[in-house]
Amino acid sequence: MKTITKIATQKRDGRYNIELDGHFAFGLSENVLAKFGLLKGRQLDDAMIEELKQAEKVDQGLKIALNYLSPALRTVRQVKDRLKQKKVEEDAIDQVISHLRQQGLLDDAVYAKHYVATKQVFNPKGPRGIAQDLKQAGVQEEIIENAILGFAEEDQVLVATKMAEKLARTHRRDSTVIRQQKVAQALVQKGFSYDLASQVINDLDIANDDDDEQENANKQAEKIARHHQRLAAKDRFYKVKQGLYAKGYRGEVIDQALETIDFEER
């Protein structure tokens, strides 16, 4: 048995040095000190000393975890990874996670539902994109599936439509075909199904009017012609024509665009 001969405050708030039999033994937080009711003169056996040291590890792990949780919800895996980064020992990590779960401060199901709701408003994503993010965060498949059920199809359409409108404006200088393709690809990359992306594009009718389509084609023709200006006139003509077809323009639009370019050799 050893006797606590001194309990002294450290420079750091809430920290105490414990002396046993006149010698420094270890430091403890105020939480651990109060939990075990430690006072000068109390005797400690080896088992109690080890219990105190373990409680200290858990208390420090809890502080790290709570600081990590304070600005946002986290998953169990994210908290575990954070504690590992901070060199918290594995057995203490398990106790920290158990305590946080018991207190309702760590719940993957709550995290998943909140994430699904958030991704409908901020930096929107479709169900597949959300599911991938949750899987990477360590959420179990069953929890993910239940959370995704909260993202109703009509809400998906609303979110995807807003994204499509913005994307369509971004690609307004492309041909109608390419514009539609880019919007569809972007929606699918964001995690929406191809069928839903197609439905949204059809409902929005993302198409340039005739004047805009022709103006875009004329500008593309001029750009391609400049790029191939060192070619012979015939080769340059075909390069421009092929380039416009690749850009998704219709034959009659291409013919008019070609008429705006001077292919004469100089």
Side-chain angles (χ1 to χ4, degrees), residues 58-117:
V58 173
D59 187 70
Q60 293 306 306
L62 277 171
K63 288 179 180 177
I64 294 169
L66 290 171
N67 284 334
Y68 186 52
L69 287 167
S70 62
L73 294 175
R74 310 286 185 183
T75 66
V76 171
R77 179 190 286 180
Q78 289 171 339
V79 174
K80 281 186 175 180
D81 289 345
R82 182 70 168 185
L83 293 172
K84 288 177 182 177
Q85 289 173 3
K86 294 294 184 178
K87 310 300 181 185
V88 179
E89 294 181 11
E90 195 69 39
D91 57 346
I93 290 176
D94 291 339
Q95 289 182 259
V96 169
I97 296 300
S98 178
H99 177 80
L100 292 172
R101 279 175 159 167
Q102 290 173 6
Q103 297 298 315
L105 298 174
L106 194 58
D107 189 324
D108 281 2
V110 171
Y111 176 93
K113 289 180 181 179
H114 183 268
Y115 192 85
V116 170

Side-chain angles (χ1 to χ4, degrees), residues 173-180 208 213 216 247-249:
R173 298 189 184 282
D174 291 311
S175 69
T176 291
V177 171
I178 296 299
R179 194 181 186 193
Q180 291 174 333
N208 301 324
E213 186 83 344
N216 290 342
K247 292 291 184 180
Y249 292 103

Side-chain angles (χ1 to χ4, degrees), residues 194-210:
Y194 181 79
D195 288 344
L196 189 139
S198 299
Q199 175 190 332
V200 168
I201 290 171
N202 290 334
D203 290 345
L204 281 179
D205 188 24
I206 301 174
N208 301 324
D209 63 35
D210 292 343

Side-chain angles (χ1 to χ4, degrees), residues 173 213-226 244 249 257 260-261:
R173 298 189 184 282
E213 186 83 344
Q214 190 63 60
E215 182 180 356
N216 290 342
N218 293 349
K219 289 179 179 178
Q220 282 291 337
E222 184 179 351
K223 182 178 179 180
I224 297 169
R226 283 199 307 271
L244 292 176
Y249 292 103
T260 67
I261 306 298

